[in-house]
Amino acid sequence: MTNFGNRIVILIDMDCFYCQVETRLQPDIAGKPLAVVQYNQWKLGGIIAVNYEARDFGVTRHMRGEEAKLKCPELLLVSVPCLRGKADTSKYRSAGREVIEVLKKNCNIIERASVDEAYLDITQIVDDKLANKLNDYEDVILQLKNTFIVGHSESGVNNEEERSKGLETWLSTLSIDTQVQRLSIAGAFVENLRKEIYETTGFKCSAGISFNKILAKLACGLHKPNRQTILSSSAIPHLFSTLPIKKVRNLGGKLGDIVIDSLQCNVMSDLLHYSLSYLQNHFDEKTGLRLYNIARGIDNEPVTPRLVSKSIGACKNFPGKLAIVDKDFLKHWLSELSAEVCERLEQDLEENERKASLLTVSFHYYQNKTSVSQSRSCPLTSYKPEKISEQCFNLVTKATHQPISFLGISTSKFIKAKGSENFINFFKSNATDNCTSISNTDISEVNDNLKTKNSMNVNCNKTERNEKHKISNDYIINETTKNKNLESSSVEIKQNKTSSPCSIIQHSLKSDNFKKSFFMNILTQEKLKTDHLNSITNTREHDFEIHDCNTTSNEDLRPNNNDNIKNSSENITKKSDKKKQKSSMYGNDETTIGIEEIFPDLNDIDINIVRLLPSHLQQEVKKLLKTTEVHEKNVTLNKAIDKKINKNSKGKLFKSKSQNKKSNIETFFINTAVNNDLKEFKKCPQCHQLIVINKFDEHNDYHIAATLQKEINQNSDNVETRKRKVITNNSNHLKKRVNDQIVTYVSKTKSGSSFFQQ
DNA sequence: CATGTGACCCCT
DNA sequence: AGGGGTCAC
Ligand SMILES: Nc1ncnc2c1ncn2[C@@H]1O[C@H](COP(=O)(O)OP(=O)(O)OP(=O)(O)O)[C@@H](O)[C@H]1O
């Protein structure tokens, strides 16, 4: 059975929030189609919120009021008030705070994700109830009046009959299924929470109830508005089989496009066909792991307690002709923005007893028709708007005199206001809790979260970094978002804990040094190949079971599990061996050997070992010794895709990766020769050739490259494609050498990265 | 021509 | 720590 860890995470998302706020102010407009716009002068303004009545007419966000009126003539447009020439959204912020107040009364772990949504980790609450309410499920069931169960009623449809039927079916296993028990308890809790929000604020909301943030977010959207949805693990395979990749949180942007393009997949379940190492090779360790996990419904990102924002800012666009060229205009707008920020800072000082210490001014300007964005920071020493305005003016004019199309002032790095109760309390309470001590430099960031800490009695929040680590004590070192080393280590541990083929390989490699593992690789080729084949088969046939090897850690890494603590400390100590681990990870189930795997340190190459290598690899070593720099043209897809994706790929690691890839190419024939003995082929659905099974991914790369090429040639209107075309013209190796598939694709997409890097 | 706000990540 | 960029609401 799939193990999704033990968390229960929910998302509360207010329905068409700004519209509800406006409707509460003018109850007589309730029930009528409504949209909230800002700046109604030009084309009746830009729509930023649409109520459900208006959505039925096809009105959407980003439309102009004018356009929306065409779709829905009786549409009511309410404008965001204007203050100092800007849209003033303060009333929505304060309405959002009302909601948070209700949440605070009911849960200690709340992450305010935006003005209208918050994630709550209710694991403890649910498990306490589970322990206490074993015989009280009748009550629980009776409370699930607005709850949908994914897989038991059609998504996107709020039909009551279907809902209650589906719920009933799902509840039929209540007595034997702990997951159903926990989720139904969570469902009842959320029903009450939503009821309390409504009774207190008058606002309706939807909720998603599942095991992590991504699933909760997904679930929440399935039965909006004013309903809640439970997403259990058994519903995931079916849900993901039609779920477009871009619908998943964090895959909605460029990364999502790249995943779709480069892997030629559309829905989440398509990602199941790729092994962890393949994904990590294609992207980078972190992204690969994320994708691998999320395809299986796994997301270890913790709910990070935070109730107040970390920055307060105001910005404004000056598009086209409105761009600021005149110094006085610049001064004017900077003082308007400063005034707004100061007003909100003063309010924040009262409410949260803290002061911002950093001032950042951002600006976009035009240079050679392209827009350049920059920002400059300085210490924030005064809440006087004139002072702030002046500081910003100096920073901007020092940086550019070009026409400015965007201006923003933001303040951050909050520190506790001196003399505030919390300031004193913090040091008092800090003495009694067992947080790691904080240095002076940490204090400013510590204070940022002080209120949270004091009011919630959770672990000290410290700096953001510490905060995450602290939280991680609850789920020790799962996918700690901030520390890539830990993360990649944790994979290894996860995998060691399983009996999956990949873990066997991993284990065998880990236990030895690399020189040895290389020879082991050669000697045990056949076994590895069989294992790899099994691994592929497993992935395909038991898509949702194989990931047990990952989720095990969720359970195992819980705080009171001693083994876990041991594991996590092992993780940390292994950081120093990270590089080796990486090499081993690349080396194993790809079964191709890179020089880097044999000689992790190129400065320490043993000539005796070189002599033992096949001639290709010997040449490779020679080449590498000649060239210390990475050849740009050999950069892998990892780098190619996007700088952002390739966060980790720098210095040695990056070098290692590209060299790995190169080695893969050069050792292609060696490995193929070995493979031929195995006679394990798979027919390529695209070209119908028989491909050695463990070269299948690489072969697929070739098709991807070819497809892109085709697409480029066909479609020259698309901006992105046009850029790619330029790129391709520069490196048109594709037709030259069939066996250079990866090199070719890679060199092409590498240049593609410069596009995304803009 | 045309939104505004905030969090987080990576690189340097 | 500063600065550029992505993602999302
Ligand atoms: N691109 C945007 N620009 C400005 N404000 C936005 C933008 N996206 C969302 N918002 C504001 O944040 C609020 C919450 O957005 P969200 O995406 O949750 O949709 P919603 O309007 O609340 O509708 P629902 O959640 O019911 O689909 C909105 O009411 C909206 O005004």
Side-chain angles (χ1 to χ4, degrees):
Chain A
M1 184 62 196
T2 299
N3 177 0
F4 277 84
N6 288 319
R7 287 192 297 163
I8 301 287
V9 173
I10 66 173
L11 173 69
I12 300 288
D13 187 331
M14 309 310 294
D15 300 326
C16 55
F17 190 48
Y18 290 13
C19 291
Q20 281 202 79
V21 174
E22 294 301 337
T23 308
R24 191 177 70 170
L25 288 169
Q26 310 176 52
D28 49 307
I29 62 174
K32 297 175 184 166
L34 167 72
V36 174
V37 294
Q38 45 190 7
Y39 305 120
N40 60 4
Q41 305 299 66
W42 185 74
K43 294 194 177 185
L44 299 181
I47 293 178
I48 54 172
V50 184
N51 75 358
Y52 283 80
E53 287 82 350
R55 288 182 203 194
D56 291 342
F57 291 87
V59 179
T60 64
R61 177 176 295 148
H62 297 310
M63 268 180 188
R64 300 281 141 198
E66 233 173 52
E67 189 186 351
K69 280 271 193 186
L70 293 177
K71 301 224 170 207
C72 175
E74 66 261 50
L75 178 69
L76 294 172
L77 293 174
V78 176
S79 280
V80 177
C82 253
L83 186 62
R84 304 184 194 93
K86 285 186 69 253
D88 173 26
T89 52
S90 53
K91 69 176 148 182
Y92 311 114
R93 272 192 290 270
S94 80
R97 279 194 293 270
E98 291 177 41
V99 177
I100 292 292
E101 287 305 312
V102 179
L103 299 181
K104 269 163 70 175
K105 283 200 278 175
N106 289 279
C107 179
N108 282 336
I109 306 180
I110 304 171
E111 177 175 337
R112 195 180 179 182
S114 77
V115 67
D116 84 322
E117 57 180 46
Y119 291 95
L120 282 67
D121 186 321
I122 59 165
T123 310
Q124 199 62 52
I125 294 168
V126 168
D127 287 340
D128 286 350
K129 292 192 182 191
L130 185 70
N132 298 332
K133 292 185 70 178
L134 274 175
N135 302 315
D136 210 5
Y137 282 104
E138 244 173 66
D139 219 35
V140 168
I141 292 167
L142 283 176
Q143 292 174 61
L144 299 176
K145 291 263 187 284
N146 301 280
T147 306
F148 283 84
I149 311 296
V150 180
H152 291 271
S153 39
E154 191 185 342
S155 295
V157 179
N158 288 5
N159 177 292
E160 176 53 25
E161 198 185 324
E162 254 200 65
R163 185 200 69 81
S164 60
K165 258 194 196 164
L167 177 67
E168 205 179 313
T169 314
W170 182 68
L171 286 170
S172 64
T173 55
L174 182 67
S175 58
I176 53 165
D177 189 336
T178 323
Q179 193 184 87
V180 175
Q181 289 165 15
R182 295 175 85 230
L183 288 174
S184 60
I185 290 172
F189 173 82
V190 175
E191 289 271 6
N192 290 324
L193 188 60
R194 291 178 47 248
K195 194 168 155 208
E196 190 176 335
I197 291 170
Y198 181 67
E199 283 167 357
T200 312
T201 68
F203 298 137
K204 294 173 182 173
C205 64
S206 301
I209 302 151
S210 195
F211 312 106
N212 58 53
K213 291 209 266 190
I214 288 181
L215 295 179
K217 173 82 194 166
L218 264 176
C220 181
L222 298 178
H223 294 282
K224 266 178 164 283
N226 202 25
R227 295 290 184 275
Q228 57 186 63
T229 307
I230 289 175
L231 175 51
S232 65
S233 57
S234 57
I236 291 173
H238 185 249
L239 179 68
F240 278 21
S241 71
T242 56
L243 184 71
I245 286 167
K246 299 204 54 152
K247 295 282 178 200
V248 173
R249 199 172 89 116
N250 292 323
L251 297 178
K254 294 182 182 183
L255 176 59
D257 287 331
I258 290 164
V259 169
I260 289 165
D261 283 353
S262 71
L263 299 180
Q264 302 251 290
C265 49
N266 298 306
V267 294
M268 283 308 287
S269 59
D270 291 341
L271 291 177
L272 290 170
H273 298 139
Y274 299 93
S275 68
L276 175 61
S277 62
Y278 183 84
L279 291 172
Q280 289 184 315
N281 264 334
H282 236 72
F283 302 96
D284 62 63
E285 291 93 282
K286 188 169 172 177
T287 307
L289 174 61
R290 285 244 168 126
L291 290 172
Y292 182 86
N293 277 340
I294 196 54
R296 290 155 180 80
I298 298 163
D299 162 33
N300 292 319
E301 193 182 302
V303 176
T304 306
R306 185 172 43 72
L307 298 170
V308 293
S309 61
K310 294 179 166 184
S311 65
I312 289 176
C315 60
K316 184 161 174 62
N317 271 312
F318 303 92
K321 268 191 277 182
L322 300 178
I324 298 174
V325 284
D326 184 289
K327 270 199 168 59
D328 289 333
F329 273 105
L330 178 59
K331 276 186 180 159
H332 171 257
W333 282 112
L334 284 173
S335 63
E336 298 284 57
L337 293 172
S338 299
E340 179 182 339
V341 169
C342 284
E343 195 175 289
R344 287 171 53 200
L345 281 173
E346 293 290 357
Q347 192 187 350
D348 180 74
L349 173 59
E350 264 184 41
E351 282 173 13
N352 300 319
E353 298 182 302
R354 58 179 189 164
K355 283 196 141 191
S357 67
L358 184 72
L359 173 65
T360 304
V361 57
S362 311
F363 44 95
H364 300 183
Y365 58 89
Y366 290 114
Q367 200 158 46
N368 308 329
K369 288 186 179 177
T370 62
S371 183
V372 180
S373 55
Q374 289 196 319
S375 66
R376 294 289 181 270
S377 303
C378 69
L380 175 57
T381 51
S382 151
Y383 274 14
K384 284 203 188 91
E386 313 84 56
K387 169 84 178 168
I388 291 179
S389 174
E390 187 192 330
Q391 281 179 306
C392 291
F393 180 81
N394 291 336
L395 290 171
V396 174
T397 49
K398 217 165 115 183
T400 184
H401 294 282
Q402 301 294 317
I404 289 171
S405 60
F406 171 91
L407 267 183
I409 292 179
S410 179
T411 58
S412 56
K413 301 230 172 208
F414 287 94
I415 57 175
K416 271 298 138 189
K418 290 202 179 71
S420 74
E421 239 179 81
N422 277 337
F423 185 77
I424 294 152
N425 283 345
F426 171 73
F427 290 102
K428 268 196 213 158
S429 56
N430 192 47
T432 62
D433 70 32
N434 60 353
C435 297
T436 51
S437 66
I438 37 167
S439 68
N440 286 337
T441 51
D442 283 332
I443 289 178
S444 61
E445 289 173 270
V446 170
N447 288 317
D448 183 359
N449 291 298
L450 218 68
K451 184 148 189 191
T452 307
K453 165 188 180 300
N454 286 333
S455 63
M456 303 199 319
N457 214 13
V458 292
N459 296 321
C460 129
N461 289 320
K462 305 283 172 208
T463 63
E464 193 193 341
R465 198 168 292 266
N466 284 337
E467 181 180 315
K468 294 256 179 182
H469 286 181
K470 199 68 193 173
I471 301 302
S472 297
N473 279 341
D474 294 335
Y475 312 100
I476 298 175
I477 309 191
N478 284 341
E479 213 171 298
T480 37
T481 42
K482 295 249 159 172
N483 193 325
K484 27 195 168 181
N485 299 352
L486 291 182
E487 189 171 301
S488 54
S489 302
S490 80
V491 181
E492 184 168 318
I493 284 194
K494 286 166 188 175
Q495 298 210 342
N496 283 339
K497 285 182 160 292
T498 75
S499 57
S500 80
C502 61
S503 73
I504 294 168
I505 301 166
Q506 205 109 67
H507 185 78
S508 68
L509 287 183
K510 195 196 88 175
S511 60
D512 227 323
N513 71 34
F514 282 87
K515 295 171 184 178
K516 203 167 170 188
S517 73
F518 164 68
F519 292 109
M520 282 297 287
N521 253 336
I522 297 287
L523 292 171
T524 57
Q525 280 290 347
E526 183 145 359
K527 167 162 174 37
L528 290 175
K529 303 241 176 299
T530 315
D531 284 345
H532 181 70
L533 181 62
N534 287 342
S535 146
I536 290 169
T537 322
N538 277 348
T539 312
R540 305 239 155 110
E541 290 181 6
H542 311 290
D543 288 343
F544 284 85
E545 285 168 21
I546 196 164
H547 80 277
D548 269 346
C549 74
N550 293 285
T551 38
T552 315
S553 67
N554 264 346
E555 171 138 85
D556 289 344
L557 296 177
R558 283 176 69 75
N560 26 11
N561 181 329
N562 289 337
D563 284 347
N564 289 328
I565 290 166
K566 201 172 116 221
N567 281 339
S568 54
S569 65
E570 273 173 22
N571 260 346
I572 292 163
T573 55
K574 276 176 191 148
K575 269 166 71 176
S576 56
D577 284 329
K578 184 184 161 204
K579 204 177 82 168
K580 289 190 177 184
Q581 288 177 18
K582 285 221 165 84
S583 300
S584 90
M585 280 162 62
Y586 285 119
N588 56 42
D589 66 352
E590 292 278 301
T591 70
T592 48
I593 312 300
I595 291 296
E596 187 74 8
E597 294 157 39
I598 309 166
F599 302 112
D601 183 354
L602 294 179
N603 295 320
D604 182 24
I605 290 180
D606 186 338
I607 191 67
N608 293 318
I609 290 172
V610 175
R611 288 202 188 102
L612 295 172
L613 294 175
S615 61
H616 288 89
L617 288 177
Q618 290 190 20
Q619 280 170 17
E620 175 77 2
V621 173
K622 273 184 209 161
K623 262 192 230 165
L624 283 177
L625 289 175
K626 269 188 225 158
T627 340
T628 46
E629 254 191 40
V630 186
H631 292 272
E632 277 299 300
K633 61 180 175 185
N634 278 334
V635 175
T636 66
L637 176 60
N638 302 340
K639 181 180 180 196
I641 281 168
D642 188 344
K643 204 168 183 178
K644 185 207 175 265
I645 301 173
N646 257 303
K647 340 150 197 206
N648 301 349
S649 306
K650 62 164 191 174
K652 264 233 141 105
L653 170 57
F654 171 69
K655 216 167 160 182
S656 145
K657 283 175 110 175
S658 50
Q659 285 160 1
N660 260 347
K661 204 52 143 183
K662 187 173 175 177
S663 303
N664 287 345
I665 303 299
E666 300 225 348
T667 55
F668 183 85
F669 298 105
I670 300 175
N671 287 303
T672 308
V674 179
N675 290 337
N676 282 340
D677 295 332
L678 288 168
K679 302 265 187 273
E680 305 210 326
F681 296 102
K682 192 175 148 96
K683 192 168 180 179
C684 172
Q686 301 187 55
C687 64
H688 307 292
Q689 281 181 54
L690 284 177
I691 308 297
V692 179
I693 193 108
N694 76 327
K695 288 288 143 195
F696 199 77
D697 285 341
E698 280 141 5
H699 176 83
N700 198 34
D701 273 341
Y702 164 73
H703 283 297
I704 292 168
T707 310
L708 281 175
Q709 175 88 19
K710 212 167 119 193
E711 177 195 320
I712 288 156
N713 291 338
Q714 280 170 0
N715 182 2
S716 56
D717 283 337
N718 177 295
V719 179
E720 189 176 332
T721 314
R722 224 181 302 141
K723 301 214 178 196
R724 279 188 189 152
K725 188 168 182 175
V726 173
I727 293 154
T728 318
N729 288 341
N730 291 338
S731 57
N732 195 9
H733 314 313
L734 201 62
K735 294 152 199 163
K736 290 185 192 161
R737 291 173 59 189
V738 178
N739 283 328
D740 267 355
Q741 301 145 4
I742 290 184
V743 172
T744 309
Y745 180 25
V746 158
S747 59
K748 184 157 71 71
T749 40
K750 188 264 149 195
S751 314
S753 72
S754 55
F755 165 58
F756 291 116
Q757 280 167 27
Q758 281 175 9

